[in-house]
Amino acid sequence: MVPKETGSTLEWVRIQEDDFSVEDEVNRIKERSKRVGGIVTFLGTARDFSKGRDINRIDFEYYPGMAEKRLNEIRERALQDYDIIEASIIHRVGRIETGENIVLIVVAAEHRKDAFRACEWCIDELKRITPIWKREETTQGEVWVVEHP
């Protein structure tokens, strides 16, 4: 059983079953500092078609404890390596219907270029190192997705 939400609402990294509000997350990061001059978001959603197959829904599984640790490492490195003010990362797990939200990354910086670069790096690193796995339910059966685009 996956908890509804790990950690407190004040945490900047979360893995949860429930959907999230993009607007609430943007407002939360905007309140972090009056120096924020630009906010960049990446919202990943469940599409209904992949690699020539119709997708009915997607199931996400994860390695509890390790996945949160990796997401926190990504956030900390982004704060260290890019000129940004704050970053938040939310990833949903469990059964997700097509069209629903999967992952949200919000990055705030004084300037847009720093926020764009950090946001892109965060999603690339999330896909590369975070132990979260995706199984697509297609019209031909279930397929584990192993590659990270």
Side-chain angles (χ1 to χ4, degrees):
M1 178 79 177
V2 176
K4 292 287 184 184
E5 181 178 314
T6 60
S8 75
T9 57
L10 296 176
E11 291 182 356
W12 297 105
V13 168
R14 299 195 316 265
I15 294 176
Q16 62 190 45
E17 287 185 352
D18 292 337
D19 199 4
F20 47 79
S21 163
V22 175
E23 183 178 358
D24 288 351
E25 296 304 320
V26 168
N27 285 334
R28 191 166 73 101
I29 208 163
K30 193 187 315 181
E31 292 171 0
R32 177 78 167 78
S33 172
K34 296 291 184 196
R35 287 187 305 137
V36 172
I39 296 174
V40 172
T41 63
F42 172 80
L43 175 63
T45 60
R47 61 177 177 257
D48 67 355
F49 193 78
S50 178
K51 298 183 179 166
R53 295 183 295 250
D54 289 322
I55 307 294
N56 298 326
R57 65 186 56 84
I58 303 172
D59 284 304
F60 286 90
E61 296 184 11
Y62 76 114
Y63 180 0
M66 184 56 74
E68 292 91 340
K69 180 179 177 186
R70 293 289 186 235
L71 294 180
N72 273 306
E73 289 170 358
I74 292 167
R75 178 182 167 270
E76 289 298 322
R77 274 204 54 208
L79 289 168
Q80 181 180 5
D81 295 348
Y82 296 89
D83 192 11
I84 62 173
I85 295 169
E86 190 55 81
S88 70
I89 304 171
I90 302 171
H91 202 297
R92 292 181 62 201
V93 292
R95 179 163 284 194
I96 295 176
E97 301 295 327
T98 57
E100 291 185 352
N101 297 330
I102 299 171
V103 61
L104 177 66
I105 297 175
V106 183
V107 176
E110 289 185 37
H111 304 287
R112 71 181 184 281
K113 287 184 180 179
D114 299 313
F116 275 113
R117 282 194 291 259
C119 190
E120 182 177 25
W121 181 83
C122 285
I123 189 62
D124 288 346
E125 282 297 289
L126 183 153
K127 288 185 168 281
R128 192 176 73 80
I129 69 168
T130 307
I132 297 175
W133 303 280
K134 177 168 66 171
R135 183 179 57 226
E136 296 173 338
E137 184 180 308
T138 73
T139 53
Q140 293 87 31
E142 295 181 347
V143 177
W144 284 100
V145 178
V146 292
E147 77 281 1
H148 292 276

